[in-house]
Amino acid sequence: SALVHADLGDVTDTCLTLESECTADLGPGWRLALEVAGEKSLATPTTIGGTVYFTTYLPPGTAPELTCTPSEGNGRLYAVSFKNAAATRAIAS
């Protein structure tokens, strides 16, 4: 049978830190909610050595704005295990 969104374990609040163990019920897979309003992934993820790397775009007004700079938005880089979405790298924001 086809999987639906609710079948996947939600790792948003439980698996994205290096300090804690992933405790989400992963079932047949996992999902990660992008929590900043307007945040979206625009590029294809890349998997290297069991780590999934993907970037997201944060539109202007959703990230701390710097003075005297154009309002171009911001971005994030995620590095998570493909097995359980646990953070695999500490990446500075």
Side-chain angles (χ1 to χ4, degrees):
S1 65
L3 291 175
V4 296
H5 191 259
D7 292 336
L8 304 174
D10 186 358
V11 299
T12 306
D13 295 323
T14 61
C15 300
L16 291 180
T17 63
L18 290 172
E19 297 82 32
S20 64
E21 185 176 328
C22 182
T23 59
D25 178 11
L26 302 178
W30 55 267
R31 61 187 159 94
L32 169 67
L34 302 177
E35 295 187 303
V36 175
E39 183 179 10
K40 56 189 72 63
S41 180
L42 301 175
T44 303
T46 300
T47 303
I48 302 170
T51 296
V52 180
Y53 297 90
F54 64 96
T55 58
T56 62
Y57 171 71
L58 299 156
T62 59
E65 299 296 328
L66 301 175
T67 59
C68 302
T69 60
S71 183
E72 297 176 350
N74 217 332
R76 289 185 174 164
L77 171 63
Y78 292 83
V80 297
S81 168
F82 76 89
K83 292 180 182 178
N84 63 6
T88 59
R89 306 272 190 282
I91 300 172
S93 56

